[in-house]
């Protein structure tokens, strides 16, 4: 009986959730669910014009689960939202080590007038379509001649590691605002539609990979196999994106563009169960 109790206690300690802490200087009303919360990385040097609300952290003292970088970023975004803040500026990060299975993050939270001004990454959502103000990069016509716009997006996987308990493998995607651009005189609705489809294709393959991992019941203990499946899915994704541009001649063939929009809509619906 004593051995059973000790095992149970050890399991409770090592399989705990990440510890979220906050030191709130200014108390504001929580923001509604679904409010945009922007996260700035530690290396981001943008000047923040807003009200400092406080400091936050996501960490642990042992081997927690489901506390990788992406998961703890979402945890801190929720702390910020509940504190009335809409921007998180990361000030320190520590990767998992032999002392902790978590990706530990510290930061400051702010309330700013327009968080979109600071946005560097956008995750796909059916509630938000791209607009030209999301394309913040400087056009590089030398590297990309005869190109009206560039959408820089992709997807990846991550998981925290715990030797005592398996954790979930997270699949997420990103549109990089400062690496995406458009030629000002060609920033019209039609070109924007073409670029939106590029991002929609990213979401399709994000969902396909989630389905593959789910169908194979893969967790953090199967990360090597998961990486192999990611690589094969990503190669398929690149070919699909290239075929889209080739078939539509980068959007110039309007009839083919409309056909691709229909194809993408069908594919998104096909994997609807795997959207976040």
């Amino acid at each position: 009986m004593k051995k059973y109790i000790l095992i149970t206690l050890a399991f409770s300690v090592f399989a705990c959730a990440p510890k979220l802490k906050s030191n709130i200087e200014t108390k504001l009303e929580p923001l509604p669910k679904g409010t945009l919360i922007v996260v700035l990385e530690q290396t981001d040097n943008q000047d923040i014009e807003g009200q400092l609300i406080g400091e936050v952290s996501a960490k642990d003292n042992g081997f927690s689960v489901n506390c990788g970088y992406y998961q703890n970023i979402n945890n801190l975004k929720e702390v910020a939202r509940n504190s009335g803040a809409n921007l998180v500026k990361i000030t320190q990060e520590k990767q998992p080590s032999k002392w902790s299975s978590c990706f530990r993050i510290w930061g400051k939270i702010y309330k700013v007038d327009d968080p979109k001004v600071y946005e560097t990454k956008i995750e796909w959502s059916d509630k938000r379509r791209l607009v030209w103000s999301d394309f913040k990069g400087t056009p590089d016509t030398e590297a990309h001649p005869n190109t009206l716009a560039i959408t820089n997006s992709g997807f990846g996987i991550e998981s925290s590691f715990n030797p005592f308990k398996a954790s979930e493998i997270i699949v997420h995607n990103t549109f990089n605002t400062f690496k995406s651009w458009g030629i000002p005189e060609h920033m019209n609705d039609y070109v924007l539609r073409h670029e939106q489809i590029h991002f929609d294709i990213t979401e399709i393959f994000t969902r396909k990979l989630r389905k593959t991992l789910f169908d194979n019941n893969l967790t953090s203990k199967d990360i090597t196999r998961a990486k192999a499946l990611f690589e094969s899915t990503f190669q398929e994704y690149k070919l699909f994106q290239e075929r889209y541009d080739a078939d539509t001649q980068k959007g110039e063939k309007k009839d083919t563009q409309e056909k691709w929009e229909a194809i993408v809509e069908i594919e998104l619906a096909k994997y609807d169960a795997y959207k976040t």
Side-chain angles (χ1 to χ4, degrees):
M1 179 63 71
K2 288 184 179 179
K3 185 176 182 181
Y4 177 80
I5 292 173
L6 287 172
I7 291 174
T8 304
L9 288 174
F11 182 85
S12 298
V13 170
F14 291 122
C16 61
K19 291 185 177 180
L20 304 177
K21 292 185 178 181
S22 60
N23 180 18
I24 305 302
E25 298 180 3
T26 305
K27 183 63 178 177
L28 299 178
E29 289 295 318
L31 300 176
K33 287 189 175 181
T35 298
L36 174 64
I37 310 295
V38 170
V39 177
L40 300 184
E41 296 178 355
Q42 187 176 359
T43 55
D44 194 311
N45 295 320
Q46 294 185 73
D47 292 328
I48 302 171
E49 296 183 4
Q51 182 180 11
L52 176 64
I53 304 301
E55 298 181 348
V56 293
S57 64
K59 54 186 179 178
D60 75 337
N61 293 318
F63 291 93
S64 300
V65 294
N66 297 329
C67 56
Y69 178 82
Y70 180 76
Q71 292 157 313
N72 269 345
I73 286 293
N74 282 337
N75 288 333
L76 292 185
K77 287 168 71 173
E78 188 64 13
V79 172
R81 185 188 68 79
N82 285 325
S83 303
N86 55 11
L87 186 146
V88 179
K89 176 64 174 77
I90 298 173
T91 57
Q92 184 182 0
E93 298 175 349
K94 286 188 178 180
Q95 296 192 17
S97 66
K98 63 180 180 180
W99 304 112
S100 172
S101 60
C102 276
F103 199 114
R104 291 148 290 168
I105 306 172
W106 292 259
K108 295 181 178 181
I109 56 176
Y110 296 82
K111 178 65 181 298
V112 298
D113 290 337
D114 184 4
K116 283 188 176 183
V117 171
Y118 302 92
E119 204 168 20
T120 61
K121 296 179 180 179
I122 299 171
E123 189 168 358
W124 192 96
S125 170
D126 55 7
K127 296 180 176 62
R128 176 178 179 179
R129 311 302 283 171
L130 294 175
V131 294
W132 280 119
S133 58
D134 296 325
F135 293 72
K136 301 178 182 180
T138 301
D140 186 353
T141 54
E142 185 173 330
H144 302 278
N146 304 316
T147 299
L148 303 183
I150 286 288
T151 290
N152 184 292
S153 63
F155 61 95
I157 61 173
E158 76 150 34
S159 177
S160 54
F161 175 73
N162 184 324
F164 302 100
K165 185 176 175 65
S167 60
E168 181 184 5
I169 298 175
I170 301 295
V171 185
H172 56 92
N173 59 42
T174 298
F175 171 92
N176 296 296
T177 63
F178 284 98
K179 294 181 180 180
S180 301
W181 51 263
I183 303 296
E185 57 268 31
H186 295 288
M187 285 182 167
N188 55 55
D189 290 344
Y190 180 76
V191 175
L192 184 61
R193 275 171 52 196
H194 179 83
E195 298 308 310
Q196 177 66 57
I197 294 298
H198 275 300
F199 196 22
D200 291 345
I201 291 171
T202 304
E203 172 66 9
I204 289 169
F205 282 86
T206 301
R207 295 182 188 183
K208 288 182 73 171
L209 183 56
R210 287 187 188 127
K211 181 180 186 302
T212 300
L213 297 178
F214 178 81
D215 289 347
N216 287 276
N217 197 29
L218 300 186
T219 68
S220 58
K221 294 185 180 296
D222 312 295
I223 195 65
T224 300
R225 188 178 173 199
K227 286 180 178 178
L229 289 170
F230 163 75
E231 290 295 341
S232 61
T233 303
F234 194 79
Q235 291 305 313
E236 183 185 353
Y237 158 75
K238 286 172 61 179
L239 291 174
F240 199 89
Q241 290 277 25
E242 290 168 2
R243 184 154 61 91
Y244 167 55
D245 264 344
D247 286 357
T248 63
Q249 292 183 2
K250 296 185 177 181
E252 290 186 10
K253 295 178 67 174
K254 293 189 176 182
D255 56 338
T256 310
Q257 177 68 35
E258 291 176 357
K259 290 178 182 178
W260 268 90
E261 289 175 7
I263 290 170
V264 166
E265 185 177 356
I266 291 170
E267 288 296 299
L268 284 171
K270 181 179 176 181
Y271 296 101
D272 187 68
Y274 298 92
K275 71 179 180 181
T276 55

